[in-house]
Amino acid sequence: MEKNKLKEILNTLSLKEKIAQTVQLNGDLFTDSGVMPTGPLKDLGLPDNFDIHQVGSIYNVNDPEKLRMIQEQAINKSSHGIPLLFMSDIIYGFRTIFPLPLAQAGSYDFDLIQKAAEITAKESYLSGIHCVFSPMLDVVRDPRWGRVMESPGEDIYTGKEYAKSVVTGYQGQVKDYVSENHVAACIKHFAAYGAPEAGREYSTVDMSNQRLFNEYLPTYQAAIEAHALLVMTAFNVLNGIPSTGNKWLNRDILREKFNFSGLLVSDHSATEELQAHGFTANQEESAKASIEAGVDFDMMTSVYANGLEPLILSGKVDEALLDEAVWRILKLKNKLGLFENPFRGLDQENTGEFLTAEAKETAVELVEKSCVLLKNKENALPLSTQQKIAVIGPYGKSKFTLGFWASVSGKAQDTVTLKEGLENNFAKKNLTFATGYNLFDSYESFGPLKTGIEHLNGPIGDEKELIEEAVEVAGNSDVILLTIGEQFLESGEGASKAKLSLPDKQIRLIKALAQLDKPIIGLLYTGRPLVLTEIEPYFSSLLLVWYPGTMGGAGIANLLSGQASPSAKLTMTFPRSEGQIPIYYAQNTTGRPLNEENKNTRFVSKYSDESNEPLYAFGTGLTYNQVDVKWLENMENLTFTESNQIKLAYQLENLSNETSHAVVHLYMRDMAASIVQPFRKLVASQFIKIEPSTKEELAVTLTKEDLSFSDNQGEWHFESGKFGFYLVAYGQEEELIISL
Ligand code: BGC
């Protein structure tokens, strides 16, 4: 629709109709005929006659038929026929569920990540979804927080690259319209939601502007520069002001500084929670604070629905603020082509378009490239096809490997289990299975889903019998493949933990199996870094598989058999103990850094009861083969070109007779700066493939911007001086110090 026609619509809307556009509710609350039963109406504090024409958007309905019916009702009931916007929590896959974002990011294959996002967009589009509530771009450095699984991790460079790939994959190249098979991206949670105090969900965030601008805002900004169309506010207080009512954050920084012209949606009930935070005294004040802070959509409360009208009629809020919000909402609906086709995506003949061969292949590749080989003593991996393998632990057969958010649209039934994957790569006669321990202690909490879950996961067993059976099965094998970790409800939203070690029942099983004195290969299923210090010595090898998604079993089996080689890097540090948290690689050195010479003295920066080092640092990730890495000659003489670039060139030499895939990381250190810079900072990565017995020359180009840092006002500066560059791959680190 042309802009002037859209403006005409805005100009003819009544106050009530405009307010309706800003209301976003969970679509499940509405019946197919677009009305809301009295229970939910009362809970939300909405008036009795409230129905679908009083909302602008619904979320988390993924059933095309229901969406069609609701859209029909909305259009018929609205005097201007304005269609609803459909949003959904599609975080790492719609029907084809890919590995968790924390895992995907570690592949450092950003083209592949973009492809996975394109597939997710297409499957969402074909289900009638217009916009997805992702990517989550909160930098995370505290594994006690359950939502780390949704984030690309602790590193800024990694988060920025992930942000660009996912936003571009979802939206395609947006000119005037979001094209067919694509959806709008809603990045979240603005801002710094990933740094809650003590890792406790929804807790306060307090950080310096230096840290905010340098470390926590750049990932969101990268997504905005990649044209993300929506942003979601965060639940937390940031430096004393809740994000949802924070004018400085949402207007001065997001809109003015980052030039964001899209739509700002509050997180679920966050407008209402302004009162619980102690920031507003009542619903009316919450509505005022949110609209003044530039929040366009109010998700899942009656704050705007009830609060805006009296505020505007009494002159306490300028109607222009509402007009601004509604204009942004109408523009987004128009960008999605909803005025021309409110049934966008729903009018397709969809059969066969989900979980296509291409989607499955992409998912398998992403599993192979995102599982991290943490340990491989005496090259216990890959396994030989001659070995008798005892697969112990519930993840041998379980289909619950999709992770917390996949329950919104994914189907556990689709999952390729580890057993199915292994049976494809190894002779069935060499594989035996035992459950080992209960993945879920009880099914009661699943309510009506209980029977289905039990059917897919198997009955709950007696611990003693499970261990005995496991030891017996393992006793007849050459090697034990043991699946350990968390179950999917232990991470995700509302899943903070103070203890990060494995449950005792798993530790008891590991110790019982260790008595057999056979190599134990651990497969770690988890949504967060765990504390594995106690059990790590029992394992010959450890492969971190995260929650690998629909095709998990196939990708993992390819890695175990050596058909694929691991290449991924950890995007989040695994601590040795909880007391080290927050622990991340890009720390400042301190004035008294710990080193070999001073390690036995008192007044240095260290713990008296624990090492300073993590168990597995950011960037850890072994491969099956070895390649030599070195800088090319004369790199010390580099200077900036006229366009302010430097080109760092290096050589790889594959001495083995196998093709090698790996990730090369390039870190830097600004040796002396007016604001102290981290000891190491990742500035580039390359996913490489190098043929057997070959040498290859590669290069990374950096700009002055890549070497700069922000001041406390968010202005970036380059300061000349000495810089260290560190090329890291295949367990080697090559240093280069230059003056720039
Ligand atoms: C989460 C968001 C999510 C929203 C809608 C909130 O609780 O924080 O990330 O998109 O719910 O389901």
Side-chain angles (χ1 to χ4, degrees):
M1 179 182 285
E2 280 169 20
K3 202 171 158 190
N4 52 357
K5 277 198 160 168
L6 201 62
K7 259 272 140 74
E8 249 171 56
I9 296 185
L10 175 68
N11 293 337
T12 50
L13 290 180
S14 67
L15 180 58
K16 278 191 168 42
E17 286 168 330
K18 283 193 282 193
I19 293 170
Q21 285 303 310
T22 66
V23 179
Q24 180 179 69
L25 295 174
N26 189 319
D28 278 339
L29 300 177
F30 294 94
T31 64
D32 292 347
S33 50
V35 294
M36 200 191 281
T38 42
L41 276 183
K42 279 222 173 81
D43 290 345
L44 279 163
L46 290 164
D48 283 349
N49 56 358
F50 190 89
D51 77 11
I52 198 73
H53 82 280
Q54 284 153 291
V55 306
S57 166
I58 61 159
Y59 69 93
N60 283 3
V61 173
N62 296 319
D63 169 13
E65 265 324 291
K66 175 146 186 174
L67 285 176
R68 173 180 287 284
M69 283 191 275
I70 291 188
Q71 190 69 293
E72 269 165 12
Q73 296 295 334
I75 294 167
N76 293 342
K77 289 183 177 179
S78 130
S79 52
H80 294 80
I82 302 178
L84 290 170
L85 180 77
F86 298 146
M87 300 188 67
S88 191
D89 276 305
I90 308 303
I91 315 290
Y92 44 91
F94 182 87
R95 179 78 184 267
T96 310
I97 303 298
F98 295 98
L100 301 180
L102 192 59
Q104 287 191 34
S107 73
Y108 287 91
D109 186 342
F110 294 107
D111 292 337
L112 186 62
I113 292 174
Q114 180 170 326
K115 191 167 173 202
E118 276 162 19
I119 291 166
T120 301
K122 185 168 180 192
E123 290 187 351
S124 304
Y125 167 85
L126 292 175
S127 306
I129 307 299
H130 307 141
C131 167
V132 291
F133 287 131
S134 65
M136 173 174 125
L137 300 172
D138 307 323
V139 169
V140 291
R141 291 171 171 182
D142 190 332
R144 290 172 297 183
W145 192 49
R147 297 195 79 167
V148 302
M149 48 92 83
E150 294 171 60
S151 155
E154 72 182 52
D155 177 56
I156 302 129
Y157 161 83
T158 312
K160 282 162 66 178
E161 294 304 306
Y162 175 84
K164 287 187 258 178
S165 323
V166 177
V167 169
T168 312
Y170 282 164
Q171 298 190 164
Q173 299 303 331
V174 184
K175 292 211 170 83
D176 294 330
Y177 291 98
V178 179
S179 59
E180 265 189 7
N181 296 324
H182 289 92
V183 291
C186 177
I187 65 162
K188 62 194 190 184
H189 305 86
F190 199 73
Y193 179 47
E197 256 180 24
R200 210 181 64 236
E201 184 67 287
Y202 314 130
S203 177
T204 290
V205 178
D206 201 297
M207 64 170 65
S208 66
N209 271 3
Q210 182 267 123
R211 176 158 274 183
L212 188 65
F213 283 118
N214 279 287
E215 300 170 20
Y216 281 80
L217 294 182
T219 49
Y220 312 111
Q221 192 180 0
I224 290 161
E225 284 167 6
H227 312 292
L229 291 166
L230 296 97
V231 172
M232 186 187 291
T233 67
F235 284 127
N236 56 280
V237 163
L238 176 65
N239 299 339
I241 316 280
S243 295
T244 306
N246 197 326
K247 253 196 227 171
W248 173 79
L249 189 64
N250 299 323
R251 290 203 182 265
D252 300 358
I253 303 300
L254 180 67
R255 297 230 180 259
E256 291 299 317
K257 202 168 188 60
F258 295 171
N259 250 324
F260 176 65
S261 57
L263 210 139
L264 183 64
V265 55
S266 59
D267 199 351
H268 192 290
S269 350
T271 53
E272 192 169 75
E273 289 171 18
L274 292 180
Q275 198 179 332
H277 278 300
F279 184 67
T280 55
N282 50 44
Q283 204 185 51
E284 201 179 276
E285 281 189 20
S286 299
K288 184 169 185 290
S290 306
I291 195 96
E292 285 180 351
V295 172
D296 303 315
F297 261 145
D298 174 16
M299 191 199 302
M300 203 50 199
T301 81
S302 55
V303 168
Y304 277 8
N306 294 340
L308 285 179
E309 188 175 7
L311 281 169
I312 290 170
L313 292 179
S314 63
K316 287 186 197 154
V317 161
D318 187 347
E319 193 167 348
L321 287 183
L322 174 65
D323 289 350
E324 198 187 276
V326 177
W327 180 232
R328 286 196 279 261
I329 293 166
L330 294 180
K331 273 198 303 189
L332 180 68
K333 290 183 174 180
N334 195 34
K335 264 207 161 78
L336 286 156
L338 295 181
F339 289 98
E340 284 77 21
N341 181 9
F343 303 101
R344 181 183 198 271
L346 289 170
D347 46 6
Q348 314 279 326
E349 202 24 86
N350 298 339
T351 338
E353 298 271 358
F354 298 89
L355 270 176
T356 60
E358 192 197 8
K360 288 184 189 169
E361 270 163 36
T362 307
V364 172
E365 191 178 344
L366 205 41
V367 175
E368 293 168 357
K369 287 181 170 170
S370 55
C371 293
V372 186
L373 186 59
L374 297 172
K375 179 177 182 183
N376 199 15
K377 213 169 73 187
E378 288 156 18
N379 294 335
L381 284 179
L383 297 167
S384 107
T385 45
Q386 310 308 319
Q387 282 169 304
K388 282 200 272 168
I389 308 166
V391 187
I392 311 289
Y395 280 115
K397 294 183 185 167
S398 177
K399 287 188 177 269
F400 291 96
T401 66
L402 303 184
F404 178 77
W405 282 105
S407 51
V408 173
S409 61
K411 291 191 189 330
Q413 296 90 301
D414 295 335
T415 308
V416 174
T417 62
L418 181 62
K419 180 172 188 279
E420 287 159 348
L422 290 170
E423 286 176 350
N424 238 335
N425 295 32
F426 297 89
K428 269 192 189 171
K429 67 173 173 39
N430 286 343
L431 297 166
T432 45
F433 295 84
T435 307
Y437 60 92
N438 294 311
L439 188 57
F440 304 96
D441 288 322
S442 133
Y443 294 124
E444 289 314 314
S445 58
F446 291 103
L449 300 176
K450 184 179 159 216
T451 325
I453 305 248
E454 183 164 8
H455 173 70
L456 287 174
N457 202 58
I460 310 269
D462 169 74
E463 179 179 335
K464 197 162 159 275
E465 285 169 18
L466 288 173
I467 293 188
E468 277 167 13
E469 184 203 8
V471 171
E472 195 186 322
V473 170
N476 296 322
S477 70
D478 301 320
V479 58
I480 302 166
L481 189 59
L482 176 59
T483 67
I484 51 170
E486 297 187 314
Q487 46 93 344
F488 76 102
L489 292 172
E490 289 181 78
S491 55
E493 187 174 350
S496 290
K497 276 185 172 180
K499 299 188 193 83
L500 298 178
S501 49
L502 288 179
D504 291 345
K505 60 183 177 183
Q506 294 190 40
I507 298 179
R508 284 193 286 269
L509 172 67
I510 295 168
K511 291 185 176 167
L513 291 170
Q515 304 279 322
L516 296 170
D517 214 17
K518 299 187 185 243
I520 306 182
I521 313 288
L523 292 186
L524 178 61
Y525 289 75
T526 178
R528 56 150 63 83
L530 294 171
V531 171
L532 303 173
T533 316
E534 181 190 350
I535 55 109
E536 189 265 354
Y538 293 99
F539 291 91
S540 302
S541 305
L542 256 182
L543 183 67
L544 167 62
V545 303
W546 303 106
Y547 291 120
T550 312
M551 300 306 290
I556 296 168
N558 289 346
L559 292 170
L560 294 173
S561 66
Q563 282 189 31
S565 168
S567 52
K569 303 269 195 192
L570 274 189
T571 51
M572 200 176 171
T573 300
F574 273 51
R576 294 181 58 83
S577 60
E578 289 87 349
Q580 296 176 311
I581 297 170
I583 183 167
Y584 52 96
Y585 84 93
Q587 298 196 351
N588 295 343
T589 50
T590 84
R592 295 188 184 185
L594 176 69
N595 56 39
E596 266 310 300
E597 286 83 62
N598 67 18
K599 68 177 183 202
N600 295 322
T601 61
R602 184 180 182 107
F603 299 105
V604 288
S605 183
K606 64 167 191 184
Y607 298 105
S608 60
D609 60 349
E610 181 55 279
S611 152
N612 278 9
E613 297 303 314
L615 185 64
Y616 298 116
F618 172 88
T620 299
L622 306 171
T623 56
Y624 289 156
N625 31 48
Q626 198 53 34
V627 170
D628 258 2
V629 190
K630 63 174 186 224
W631 292 113
L632 285 190
E633 277 162 25
N634 297 328
M635 280 297 123
E636 310 75 28
N637 304 329
L638 272 185
T639 47
F640 283 114
T641 61
E642 268 177 28
S643 52
N644 281 329
Q645 292 183 336
I646 46 166
K647 192 166 162 192
L648 295 149
Y650 63 98
Q651 178 189 286
L652 295 176
E653 183 170 11
N654 187 351
L655 302 166
S656 74
N657 49 11
E658 281 167 12
T659 304
S660 180
H661 293 95
V663 173
V664 178
H665 271 171
L666 177 66
Y667 294 85
M668 69 156 238
R669 181 176 177 198
D670 186 341
M671 300 292 192
S674 57
I675 293 181
V676 170
Q677 292 301 297
F679 173 66
R680 290 279 187 280
K681 196 162 124 186
L682 188 64
V683 278
S685 68
Q686 286 185 326
F687 185 89
I688 52 125
K689 176 179 173 200
I690 173 157
E691 301 301 336
S693 318
T694 52
K695 272 190 198 164
E696 215 168 300
E697 288 184 7
L698 293 151
V700 174
T701 301
L702 296 177
T703 61
K704 266 194 182 165
E705 220 176 281
D706 295 320
L707 307 184
S708 61
F709 56 86
S710 169
D711 62 23
N712 293 339
Q713 281 68 47
E715 297 302 316
W716 291 72
H717 306 276
F718 170 80
E719 285 178 2
S720 47
K722 236 187 215 175
F723 288 83
F725 292 97
Y726 309 87
L727 195 59
V728 180
Y730 296 97
Q732 301 160 52
E733 176 173 311
E734 289 289 294
E735 186 185 62
L736 173 72
I737 309 280
I738 33 182
S739 291
L740 289 167

